[in-house]
Amino acid sequence: MVARLSDRNPVVSPEQLIQEMVPPSTFDEVSFDSYIPDPNEPSQAQAVAKARDFVVRARKARGGKKGLFSRKQATQGIGLYLDGGFGVGKTHLLASIYHSMPEPKSFATFVEVTHVVGALGFVNAVERLSQHTVLCIDEFELDDPGDTMLVSRLLTELTAKGVSIVATSNTLPGQLGEGRFAAQDFLREIRKLSAVFETIRVDGPDYRHRDLPPAPAPRSDTELEELAESTPGATLDDFDELCTHLAKLHPSKYKALVDGISLVCIEGVHPAQDQSVALRLVVLADRLYDADIPVTVSGSKLDEVFTDEMLHGGYRKKYLRATSRLLALSRFAESAV
C-alpha cells in the first residue's frame, strides 16, 4: 500500500528546529564562484561583489574590538538585503554567504524564523541566536503586524549583540507588507527594519522558466496511482484530505512531514478554497522545493492552485513564488519518470 503524507504526524523538538537552521541540501555545494551572473544583467555581478564584501565586514563585526581588560566585544552587526524577482539566484548568494561565515551560524526562511521564536520563546531564541556570526533569512515577507514587530525586535537585539543579518525577498524593505496593513504601528516597525539593511537589487529572468515548457498536463488518477505504486518512497494523497491534514500540523513540522519522501503524488488537485488553505500550501511547496522532491498531480494544473483573486491580493508574491517552485518540481517529476 502506498504511503500517505496525510498519515504522517512528525514530532519536532525546539532544539531540532535550531539544528535544522541550515540551507536546503540543494545549496550544500554552492559558492560565490559557482554563481554565474547573466552578462545581460550587470546587477547580478554587482550583487556577488556586495555579498563578498558583506562577508568580510560581517567577520570583522563578529570579531569585534578589544575592550576593557582586553576582552573582545562584538561591534554592531551589519545587514544586507538582496531584492529581486523570482529565480535570479538570490538564495544561491544567501547560501554562499552562509558557507563563507564561521560557525555557529543559521539559515532559515522568514516563516521558519518566526516558528523557531514561537517554539523557544523570544528570550531563549535571542540567547541562542546571539552566539551566531550571521542569521541568513530567505524569503523575507511579512504576513501580519505581529510578525513584523516580533522580527523587528529580534533583529534589533541580535544586531546589537554583533550578529549580522542578510535577507532575500521580492519586496524592498520599505515596501514590506504593502497592500496588506496600514496600521501606524506596523508602518513604524517597517521603517525600523529598513534601517537595518543595505539594499542590493538583483535583476534577471526566472532561471526556473528559462527556455522551459509550460506546466505539465495533469495525469489521470489511474496513471498517478500506478506511478506511486511503482516508485519506492513515493506518497499518494487526495488533495482535500492533504489540505485538511496540513491544517492540523504546525507549519514548523512540514519539513519533517516530507523527510525521506522520493515523490509526492496528489490526486484531485483544484484551486484552493480560501487563503488559509493556500498559505499552508505555500509552506508545503517551500519545504518540498528545499528538499528537491518532485511533485506530480491529477486534476488541475499546478499553476491553477491559486485563484486570480489570490494572485492579485496582498499575498501575491508568496503565491507566485510557490507556483514557480511547484512548476519546477513538476517538471522534475516529468524528467525523472
CSV table of all heavy atoms in Angstrom, one decimal, residues 58-101:
chain,number,residue,atom,x,y,z
A,58,ALA,N,31.2,41.5,7.9
A,58,ALA,CA,30.5,40.7,9.0
A,58,ALA,C,31.4,40.0,9.9
A,58,ALA,O,31.2,39.9,11.1
A,58,ALA,CB,29.5,39.8,8.4
A,59,ARG,N,32.5,39.4,9.3
A,59,ARG,CA,33.5,38.7,10.1
A,59,ARG,C,34.2,39.7,11.1
A,59,ARG,O,34.4,39.4,12.2
A,59,ARG,CB,34.6,38.1,9.2
A,59,ARG,CG,34.1,36.8,8.5
A,59,ARG,CD,35.2,36.3,7.5
A,59,ARG,NE,34.9,34.9,7.1
A,59,ARG,CZ,35.5,33.9,7.7
A,59,ARG,NH1,36.3,34.0,8.7
A,59,ARG,NH2,35.2,32.7,7.2
A,60,LYS,N,34.4,40.9,10.6
A,60,LYS,CA,35.0,41.9,11.5
A,60,LYS,C,34.1,42.3,12.6
A,60,LYS,O,34.5,42.5,13.7
A,60,LYS,CB,35.4,43.1,10.6
A,60,LYS,CG,36.6,42.9,9.7
A,60,LYS,CD,36.9,44.2,8.9
A,60,LYS,CE,38.1,44.0,8.0
A,60,LYS,NZ,38.4,45.2,7.2
A,61,ALA,N,32.8,42.5,12.2
A,61,ALA,CA,31.8,42.8,13.2
A,61,ALA,C,31.7,41.8,14.3
A,61,ALA,O,31.6,42.1,15.5
A,61,ALA,CB,30.4,43.0,12.6
A,62,ARG,N,31.7,40.5,14.0
A,62,ARG,CA,31.6,39.5,15.0
A,62,ARG,C,32.9,39.4,15.8
A,62,ARG,O,32.9,39.1,17.0
A,62,ARG,CB,31.4,38.1,14.3
A,62,ARG,CG,31.3,36.9,15.2
A,62,ARG,CD,29.9,36.8,15.9
A,62,ARG,NE,29.8,37.7,17.0
A,62,ARG,CZ,28.7,37.6,17.8
A,62,ARG,NH1,27.7,36.8,17.5
A,62,ARG,NH2,28.6,38.4,18.8
A,63,GLY,N,34.1,39.6,15.1
A,63,GLY,CA,35.3,39.5,15.8
A,63,GLY,C,35.5,40.6,16.9
A,63,GLY,O,36.0,40.5,17.9
A,64,GLY,N,34.8,41.8,16.5
A,64,GLY,CA,34.8,42.9,17.5
A,64,GLY,C,36.1,43.6,17.7
A,64,GLY,O,37.1,43.4,16.9
A,65,LYS,N,36.2,44.3,18.7
A,65,LYS,CA,37.4,45.0,19.1
A,65,LYS,C,37.7,44.8,20.6
A,65,LYS,O,36.8,44.4,21.3
A,65,LYS,CB,37.2,46.5,18.8
A,65,LYS,CG,35.9,47.1,19.6
A,65,LYS,CD,35.7,48.5,19.1
A,65,LYS,CE,34.4,49.0,19.8
A,65,LYS,NZ,34.1,50.4,19.4
A,66,LYS,N,38.9,45.0,20.9
A,66,LYS,CA,39.3,44.8,22.3
A,66,LYS,C,38.7,45.8,23.2
A,66,LYS,O,38.8,47.0,23.0
A,66,LYS,CB,40.8,44.7,22.4
A,66,LYS,CG,41.5,43.5,21.8
A,66,LYS,CD,42.9,43.4,22.1
A,66,LYS,CE,43.5,42.2,21.5
A,66,LYS,NZ,45.0,42.0,21.8
A,67,GLY,N,38.1,45.4,24.3
A,67,GLY,CA,37.5,46.3,25.3
A,67,GLY,C,38.3,46.2,26.6
A,67,GLY,O,39.5,45.9,26.6
A,68,LEU,N,37.6,46.5,27.7
A,68,LEU,CA,38.2,46.6,29.0
A,68,LEU,C,38.8,45.2,29.3
A,68,LEU,O,38.2,44.2,29.1
A,68,LEU,CB,37.1,46.9,30.0
A,68,LEU,CG,37.7,47.2,31.4
A,68,LEU,CD1,38.6,48.5,31.4
A,68,LEU,CD2,36.4,47.5,32.4
A,69,PHE,N,40.1,45.2,29.9
A,69,PHE,CA,40.8,44.0,30.3
A,69,PHE,C,41.0,43.1,29.1
A,69,PHE,O,41.2,41.9,29.2
A,69,PHE,CB,40.0,43.2,31.3
A,69,PHE,CG,39.7,44.0,32.6
A,69,PHE,CD1,38.4,44.2,33.0
A,69,PHE,CD2,40.7,44.6,33.3
A,69,PHE,CE1,38.1,45.0,34.1
A,69,PHE,CE2,40.4,45.4,34.4
A,69,PHE,CZ,39.1,45.6,34.8
A,70,SER,N,41.1,43.7,27.8
A,70,SER,CA,41.5,43.0,26.6
A,70,SER,C,40.5,42.0,26.2
A,70,SER,O,40.8,41.1,25.3
A,70,SER,CB,42.9,42.4,26.8
A,70,SER,OG,43.8,43.3,26.9
A,71,ARG,N,39.3,42.0,26.8
A,71,ARG,CA,38.3,41.0,26.3
A,71,ARG,C,37.6,41.6,25.0
A,71,ARG,O,37.3,42.7,24.9
A,71,ARG,CB,37.2,40.8,27.4
A,71,ARG,CG,37.7,40.1,28.6
A,71,ARG,CD,36.5,39.7,29.5
A,71,ARG,NE,35.8,40.9,29.9
A,71,ARG,CZ,34.7,40.9,30.7
A,71,ARG,NH1,34.2,39.8,31.1
A,71,ARG,NH2,34.2,42.0,31.0
A,72,LYS,N,37.4,40.7,24.1
A,72,LYS,CA,36.8,41.1,22.8
A,72,LYS,C,35.3,41.4,23.0
A,72,LYS,O,34.6,40.6,23.6
A,72,LYS,CB,37.0,40.1,21.7
A,72,LYS,CG,38.4,40.1,21.2
A,72,LYS,CD,38.5,39.2,19.9
A,72,LYS,CE,39.9,39.4,19.3
A,72,LYS,NZ,40.0,38.6,18.1
A,73,GLN,N,34.8,42.5,22.4
A,73,GLN,CA,33.4,42.8,22.5
A,73,GLN,C,32.9,42.9,21.0
A,73,GLN,O,33.5,43.6,20.2
A,73,GLN,CB,33.2,44.1,23.2
A,73,GLN,CG,33.6,44.0,24.7
A,73,GLN,CD,33.4,45.3,25.4
A,73,GLN,OE1,33.4,46.4,24.7
A,73,GLN,NE2,33.3,45.3,26.7
A,74,ALA,N,31.9,42.3,20.7
A,74,ALA,CA,31.3,42.3,19.3
A,74,ALA,C,30.8,43.7,19.0
A,74,ALA,O,30.2,44.4,19.9
A,74,ALA,CB,30.2,41.3,19.1
A,75,THR,N,31.1,44.2,17.9
A,75,THR,CA,30.6,45.5,17.4
A,75,THR,C,29.2,45.3,16.9
A,75,THR,O,28.7,44.1,16.8
A,75,THR,CB,31.5,46.2,16.4
A,75,THR,OG1,31.6,45.2,15.3
A,75,THR,CG2,32.8,46.5,17.0
A,76,GLN,N,28.5,46.3,16.5
A,76,GLN,CA,27.2,46.2,15.9
A,76,GLN,C,27.2,45.3,14.7
A,76,GLN,O,28.1,45.5,13.8
A,76,GLN,CB,26.7,47.6,15.5
A,76,GLN,CG,25.3,47.6,14.9
A,76,GLN,CD,24.2,47.6,15.9
A,76,GLN,OE1,24.4,47.9,17.1
A,76,GLN,NE2,23.0,47.4,15.5
A,77,GLY,N,26.3,44.4,14.6
A,77,GLY,CA,26.2,43.6,13.4
A,77,GLY,C,25.7,44.4,12.2
A,77,GLY,O,25.1,45.5,12.3
A,78,ILE,N,26.0,43.9,11.0
A,78,ILE,CA,25.6,44.7,9.8
A,78,ILE,C,24.5,43.9,9.1
A,78,ILE,O,24.2,42.8,9.4
A,78,ILE,CB,26.8,44.9,8.8
A,78,ILE,CG1,27.3,43.5,8.4
A,78,ILE,CG2,27.9,45.7,9.5
A,78,ILE,CD1,28.4,43.7,7.3
A,79,GLY,N,23.8,44.6,8.1
A,79,GLY,CA,22.7,43.9,7.4
A,79,GLY,C,22.8,44.1,5.9
A,79,GLY,O,23.3,45.2,5.4
A,80,LEU,N,22.4,43.1,5.1
A,80,LEU,CA,22.4,43.2,3.7
A,80,LEU,C,21.1,42.6,3.2
A,80,LEU,O,20.6,41.5,3.7
A,80,LEU,CB,23.5,42.4,3.1
A,80,LEU,CG,23.7,42.4,1.5
A,80,LEU,CD1,24.0,43.8,1.0
A,80,LEU,CD2,24.7,41.4,1.0
A,81,TYR,N,20.5,43.2,2.2
A,81,TYR,CA,19.1,42.8,1.8
A,81,TYR,C,19.2,42.7,0.2
A,81,TYR,O,19.5,43.6,-0.5
A,81,TYR,CB,18.1,43.9,2.1
A,81,TYR,CG,16.7,43.6,1.9
A,81,TYR,CD1,15.9,43.1,2.9
A,81,TYR,CD2,16.1,43.7,0.6
A,81,TYR,CE1,14.6,42.8,2.7
A,81,TYR,CE2,14.8,43.4,0.4
A,81,TYR,CZ,14.0,42.9,1.5
A,81,TYR,OH,12.7,42.6,1.2
A,82,LEU,N,19.0,41.4,-0.2
A,82,LEU,CA,19.1,41.1,-1.7
A,82,LEU,C,17.6,41.1,-2.2
A,82,LEU,O,16.9,40.2,-1.9
A,82,LEU,CB,19.8,39.8,-1.9
A,82,LEU,CG,21.2,39.7,-1.4
A,82,LEU,CD1,21.7,38.3,-1.5
A,82,LEU,CD2,22.1,40.6,-2.1
A,83,ASP,N,17.3,42.1,-3.0
A,83,ASP,CA,15.9,42.2,-3.5
A,83,ASP,C,16.0,41.9,-5.0
A,83,ASP,O,16.9,42.2,-5.7
A,83,ASP,CB,15.4,43.6,-3.3
A,83,ASP,CG,14.0,43.7,-3.9
A,83,ASP,OD1,13.0,43.2,-3.4
A,83,ASP,OD2,13.9,44.3,-5.0
A,84,GLY,N,14.9,41.2,-5.5
A,84,GLY,CA,14.8,40.9,-6.9
A,84,GLY,C,13.7,40.0,-7.2
A,84,GLY,O,13.0,39.5,-6.3
A,85,GLY,N,13.5,39.6,-8.4
A,85,GLY,CA,12.4,38.8,-8.9
A,85,GLY,C,12.7,37.3,-8.5
A,85,GLY,O,13.7,37.0,-7.8
A,86,PHE,N,11.8,36.4,-9.0
A,86,PHE,CA,11.9,35.0,-8.7
A,86,PHE,C,13.0,34.4,-9.5
A,86,PHE,O,13.2,34.7,-10.7
A,86,PHE,CB,10.6,34.3,-9.0
A,86,PHE,CG,9.5,34.9,-8.2
A,86,PHE,CD1,8.5,35.7,-8.8
A,86,PHE,CD2,9.3,34.7,-6.8
A,86,PHE,CE1,7.5,36.3,-8.1
A,86,PHE,CE2,8.3,35.2,-6.1
A,86,PHE,CZ,7.4,36.0,-6.8
A,87,GLY,N,13.8,33.5,-8.9
A,87,GLY,CA,14.7,32.7,-9.7
A,87,GLY,C,15.9,33.4,-10.3
A,87,GLY,O,16.4,33.0,-11.4
A,88,VAL,N,16.4,34.5,-9.6
A,88,VAL,CA,17.6,35.2,-10.2
A,88,VAL,C,18.8,34.8,-9.4
A,88,VAL,O,19.9,35.4,-9.6
A,88,VAL,CB,17.3,36.7,-10.2
A,88,VAL,CG1,16.2,37.1,-11.1
A,88,VAL,CG2,17.0,37.2,-8.7
A,89,GLY,N,18.7,33.9,-8.5
A,89,GLY,CA,19.9,33.4,-7.7
A,89,GLY,C,20.1,34.0,-6.4
A,89,GLY,O,21.2,33.9,-5.8
A,90,LYS,N,19.1,34.7,-5.8
A,90,LYS,CA,19.3,35.3,-4.5
A,90,LYS,C,19.6,34.3,-3.4
A,90,LYS,O,20.5,34.5,-2.6
A,90,LYS,CB,18.1,36.1,-4.1
A,90,LYS,CG,17.7,37.2,-5.1
A,90,LYS,CD,16.6,38.1,-4.6
A,90,LYS,CE,15.3,37.4,-4.3
A,90,LYS,NZ,14.7,36.7,-5.5
A,91,THR,N,18.9,33.2,-3.4
A,91,THR,CA,19.1,32.1,-2.4
A,91,THR,C,20.5,31.5,-2.6
A,91,THR,O,21.2,31.2,-1.6
A,91,THR,CB,18.1,31.0,-2.5
A,91,THR,OG1,16.8,31.6,-2.3
A,91,THR,CG2,18.3,30.0,-1.4
A,92,HIS,N,21.0,31.4,-3.8
A,92,HIS,CA,22.4,30.9,-4.1
A,92,HIS,C,23.4,31.9,-3.4
A,92,HIS,O,24.3,31.4,-2.7
A,92,HIS,CB,22.6,30.9,-5.6
A,92,HIS,CG,23.9,30.4,-6.0
A,92,HIS,ND1,24.1,29.5,-7.0
A,92,HIS,CD2,25.2,30.7,-5.6
A,92,HIS,CE1,25.4,29.2,-7.2
A,92,HIS,NE2,26.0,29.9,-6.3
A,93,LEU,N,23.2,33.2,-3.5
A,93,LEU,CA,24.1,34.1,-2.9
A,93,LEU,C,24.0,34.1,-1.4
A,93,LEU,O,25.0,34.2,-0.7
A,93,LEU,CB,23.8,35.5,-3.4
A,93,LEU,CG,24.2,35.8,-4.9
A,93,LEU,CD1,23.7,37.2,-5.3
A,93,LEU,CD2,25.7,35.6,-5.1
A,94,LEU,N,22.7,33.9,-0.9
A,94,LEU,CA,22.5,33.8,0.5
A,94,LEU,C,23.2,32.6,1.1
A,94,LEU,O,23.9,32.7,2.2
A,94,LEU,CB,21.0,33.8,0.8
A,94,LEU,CG,20.6,33.8,2.3
A,94,LEU,CD1,20.8,35.2,2.9
A,94,LEU,CD2,19.1,33.5,2.4
A,95,ALA,N,23.1,31.5,0.5
A,95,ALA,CA,23.8,30.3,0.9
A,95,ALA,C,25.3,30.4,0.8
A,95,ALA,O,26.0,29.9,1.7
A,95,ALA,CB,23.3,29.1,0.1
A,96,SER,N,25.8,31.1,-0.2
A,96,SER,CA,27.2,31.3,-0.3
A,96,SER,C,27.7,32.2,0.8
A,96,SER,O,28.8,31.9,1.3
A,96,SER,CB,27.5,32.0,-1.7
A,96,SER,OG,27.1,31.2,-2.8
A,97,ILE,N,27.0,33.2,1.3
A,97,ILE,CA,27.3,33.9,2.4
A,97,ILE,C,27.4,33.1,3.7
A,97,ILE,O,28.3,33.1,4.5
A,97,ILE,CB,26.4,35.1,2.6
A,97,ILE,CG1,26.5,36.2,1.5
A,97,ILE,CG2,26.6,35.8,4.0
A,97,ILE,CD1,25.5,37.3,1.6
A,98,TYR,N,26.4,32.2,3.8
A,98,TYR,CA,26.3,31.3,5.0
A,98,TYR,C,27.6,30.4,5.0
A,98,TYR,O,28.2,30.3,6.0
A,98,TYR,CB,25.0,30.5,4.9
A,98,TYR,CG,25.0,29.4,5.9
A,98,TYR,CD1,24.4,29.6,7.2
A,98,TYR,CD2,25.5,28.1,5.6
A,98,TYR,CE1,24.3,28.6,8.1
A,98,TYR,CE2,25.4,27.1,6.6
A,98,TYR,CZ,24.8,27.3,7.8
A,98,TYR,OH,24.8,26.3,8.7
A,99,HIS,N,27.9,29.8,3.9
A,99,HIS,CA,29.0,28.9,3.8
A,99,HIS,C,30.4,29.6,4.1
A,99,HIS,O,31.3,29.0,4.5
A,99,HIS,CB,29.1,28.2,2.4
A,99,HIS,CG,28.0,27.3,2.2
A,99,HIS,ND1,27.6,26.3,3.1
A,99,HIS,CD2,27.2,27.1,1.1
A,99,HIS,CE1,26.5,25.6,2.6
A,99,HIS,NE2,26.3,26.1,1.4
A,100,SER,N,30.4,30.9,3.8
A,100,SER,CA,31.6,31.7,4.0
A,100,SER,C,31.8,32.2,5.4
A,100,SER,O,32.9,32.7,5.7
A,100,SER,CB,31.7,32.9,3.0
A,100,SER,OG,31.6,32.5,1.7
A,101,MET,N,30.8,32.1,6.2
A,101,MET,CA,30.9,32.6,7.6
A,101,MET,C,31.3,31.5,8.6
A,101,MET,O,30.9,30.4,8.4
A,101,MET,CB,29.6,33.3,8.0
A,101,MET,CG,29.2,34.5,7.3
A,101,MET,SD,30.4,35.9,7.7
A,101,MET,CE,29.9,36.2,9.4
